[in-house]
Structures are given as C-alpha cells and as structure tokens.
Amino acid sequence: MQQHPLVAILIRIGTFVLVMIALSIMIFVLARVVPGDPARMALGPSATPEQVQAVRLQMGLDKPLVVQYLDYAGKALRGDLGMSLVSQRQVITDLGQTVPATLELVLLSVVFMFVVAVPLGVVMAHSRDRAIDHVGRLLSLTGVIIPSFLFAITLQLIAARLRSGWPIIGRLDHDMSWAGGPTGLLLLDGILAGRLDVTLNALQHLILPAFALSMAGIGQVTRITRSAMIENQRKDHVLTLKSFGVPERVIIFKYLLKLSSIAPLTIMGLEFASLIGNAFVIEMVFAWGGFASYGLTSILQKDLNAVTAVVLVAGLFFIIANLIVDILITIIDPRLRRKEAR
C-alpha cells in the first residue's frame, strides 16, 4: 500500500508544528533559568536596584514561569517578540531589517551549491579514478577543511588586487539611491520596483560573500553526490538498463541523478538552515549587517529578548528547511511513502 503524497505532507506539517512548540518552550525556559538575573545582565553592574527592578517588571520576570511563557507565546503569535533592551526598538523590527539580508545571502549560497556541486559530483562519478576525479576530490576536500572567512578575505584581496571596482563590502554602493522595498531582498525588490540598476548592483555585492559562504557546502555536496552516483551505478536496475543498450546519458540524467538526489538535497537543506545562524563571520568580513551578526551582537550584549527571538527564528528556519527537504524527498522517492503507509 502506498501513502498519498498529500497525507505524507500533512503528517510532516503536523510534526513541524509540534517541534516548533517544543522548541519555543525549550528556548524560553533556558533563557530564564540560566544563572544570573536577565535584567541585571542587560543593564550591567553599574545599574541601581531600582533600575533593575523596573526592567524586571517591564520584562514580566516577576510572574511565575508558566505565566511568563503563556504571555510570551501569545505575543509571539501576534508578532510581538518584545523590546530590545539595547536598540530600544521592537525585536520584530530589528529582525525585519536583518533577516532578509542573511536570507538573500544564504539563498544564493545554496544556488551556488546546486549549480557547482551537483554537476561536478556527476562528472567525477562518471570519470571515476581519472584525473578529473582526483582534481575534483582535492578541490572538494579543500572547500571543506578551509574556514569560510579565509575564502572571504582571499576573495576580497583578489578583487582589490585586480582593481576592477568590484564591491567588497556592504549590500549596495554608498551612492546608490534606494529607499528600500517591501521584502528587504534587494534582488527581488529591485525587480518589483523596476530598478534594474539596484538588482545588478545588489547581485555584484552578493557574489563574493555568497561564494565564500558556499565553499564548505560545495565540498560536502560534491563528495556526497559522487558517492551516491557511484553506489547507484551498481544497482540491478541500472545494470539492466545498460544491458538493454540504453544510452548512458539517458541513464545518468533520467534515472541515476533522480535516485542519487536524496542525499545532496538533505545536505543542502541542512546547510541552508545552519548558514542562517552561522554566517556571522562572512557578514563581519563583508560588513553585511545581517541576521547572524545581529544575533552575535545580541548575545555579547546580553539582550534577552533579542537572543530568544534570534534562536527561535534560527530554529524556525532549520525546521522549515527540513520540512521542505522531507516533502521533496517524499515526492521524489515513492518507497518512503510505502514504508510510512506500512
């Protein structure tokens, strides 16, 4: 018996909701049971007891923990994540300014992984133990072991050395007049506003940091794609296709690539989710001002509301990425639907 794809998707969405509730409880409790008074930590050692007490009342820290969580969850569902103690603005406002920058950067990094790593892995598997396979394995290993910030600085030095005028910091040129758009994604907002100059300029600024950020992922996806392709080449049905004289190009792109896409898809989904929270080094090198660097600053400044929101949003991206990957794999591989139906 085979489970209907819609049923499998609904089950995964239900699991997603439960995991999100559990994540919010865990983050909330950990943020409030750690040693130290959050109000004192936010204000610093020079704050008076009266100031600390005022902040405690403002944050609702005088209420029981269960009541605090219910208040927090209710406000979070309405889009209210509290006030940042550092910026003195709503945390949701800060996230609205920083999340799109990191999201755009990470999305292009995933595109680089797919465009570079998957074809390279296929070519390496097809040319197993030949020169191109050895070179590809060396390059993929280099991408995995070298830190991303070293790639970032190297790319900046190369761009500066060539004196090509290629941008190496920021999201747009300083003299570019742009009032912002509805999504915060400069590539998309430029297209929606009919500002091709903004889109092209934003793309120029994106390429170097996105490529530096994607190098580790490219190395991992390349090696996994190669291994999956080699493993599936030994399957009986592939050998049968070869014995019937089916062209190798058809076997690779119609059968093998689909069969071997599950592991690379899983890795790209995990990479997307992890890069949302771990892109702070690249953002600092390129003065990007995104979500990851905002999260790091919030942690260093002990901004409780901002830290809780950052971890919650990072977890949300991780869960969504896994949900999308699960849905894609369920659609691609009917064997999973049969297994779940049993």
Side-chain angles (χ1 to χ4, degrees):
M1 180 180 178
Q2 182 169 308
Q3 192 177 51
H4 193 278
L6 183 59
V7 175
I9 292 172
L10 290 176
I11 291 174
R12 280 164 172 76
I13 293 175
T15 305
F16 158 77
V17 173
L18 293 176
V19 172
M20 198 63 218
I21 293 173
L23 176 66
S24 67
I25 294 174
M26 182 181 68
I27 293 170
F28 182 86
V29 172
L30 286 177
R32 279 157 175 77
V33 302
V34 292
D37 187 346
R40 170 65 68 182
M41 292 168 64
L43 293 175
S46 59
T48 63
E50 291 77 14
Q51 292 173 323
V52 173
Q53 183 61 25
V55 172
R56 284 182 56 82
L57 294 175
Q58 177 187 346
M59 298 173 65
L61 297 175
D62 58 322
K63 301 176 182 177
L65 194 61
V66 175
V67 177
Q68 290 184 45
Y69 173 74
L70 293 176
D71 289 344
Y72 176 80
K75 291 179 180 178
L77 290 173
R78 298 192 299 270
D80 182 4
L81 296 175
M83 181 78 70
S84 169
L85 300 176
V86 176
S87 66
Q88 293 300 311
R89 296 183 301 180
Q90 287 291 326
V91 173
I92 194 69
T93 303
D94 291 340
L95 295 179
Q97 294 177 355
T98 57
V99 169
T102 300
L103 183 60
E104 195 169 45
L105 177 63
V106 172
L107 284 174
L108 188 59
S109 299
V110 174
V111 170
F112 280 146
M113 290 181 206
F114 181 80
V115 171
V116 176
V118 174
L120 183 57
V122 172
V123 171
M124 289 167 59
H126 182 63
S127 307
R128 185 183 180 187
D129 294 330
R130 299 178 190 170
I132 189 171
D133 184 29
H134 296 310
V135 173
R137 280 190 287 177
L138 178 62
L139 292 176
S140 62
L141 183 61
T142 302
V144 171
I145 63 176
I146 295 181
S148 58
F149 74 87
L150 189 56
F151 282 116
I153 295 172
T154 302
L155 290 174
Q156 282 186 329
L157 292 175
I158 292 173
R161 179 66 177 173
L162 294 177
R163 297 180 181 178
S164 58
W166 196 272
I168 58 175
I169 58 171
R171 299 182 69 196
L172 282 175
D173 289 344
H174 293 296
D175 56 353
M176 177 72 67
S177 60
W178 176 247
T183 68
L185 305 173
L186 295 181
L187 296 180
L188 180 59
D189 288 339
I191 293 173
L192 294 177
R195 290 286 303 273
L196 188 60
D197 58 331
V198 172
T199 300
L200 293 176
N201 191 263
L203 182 60
Q204 276 188 308
H205 284 76
L206 262 171
I207 287 176
L208 293 185
F211 190 69
L213 187 61
S214 67
M215 286 303 297
I218 288 175
Q220 291 185 28
V221 174
T222 299
R223 295 167 67 86
I224 289 174
T225 303
R226 175 187 177 274
S227 300
M229 291 286 291
I230 292 174
E231 180 182 351
N232 288 318
Q233 283 175 354
R234 306 190 187 102
K235 297 291 178 67
D236 291 340
H237 65 279
V238 175
L239 297 176
T240 303
L241 290 171
K242 290 181 179 180
S243 67
F244 277 108
V246 178
E248 192 167 9
R249 183 185 307 169
V250 176
I251 294 175
I252 290 175
F253 292 103
K254 188 175 181 180
Y255 299 101
L256 267 179
L257 190 56
K258 180 180 179 180
L259 192 62
S260 305
S261 62
I262 295 176
L265 271 177
T266 304
I267 293 300
M268 282 191 280
L270 295 174
E271 282 290 328
F272 169 80
S274 63
L275 289 178
I276 288 288
N278 296 333
F280 59 90
V281 174
I282 298 296
E283 291 184 1
M284 288 183 175
V285 173
F286 287 94
W288 199 252
F291 170 76
S293 56
Y294 172 75
L296 180 63
T297 303
S298 301
I299 293 171
L300 294 176
Q301 295 179 337
K302 303 168 185 173
D303 191 344
L304 180 64
N305 288 335
V307 170
T308 305
V310 164
V311 178
L312 188 64
V313 171
L316 178 63
F317 275 112
F318 203 97
I319 294 172
I320 290 175
N322 279 274
L323 175 65
I324 293 173
V325 169
D326 281 348
I327 291 173
L328 290 175
I329 291 175
T330 302
I331 294 172
I332 291 172
D333 193 349
R335 294 173 300 177
L336 295 178
R337 298 198 296 271
R338 287 195 293 269
K339 182 179 178 182
E340 290 182 357
R342 288 195 298 269

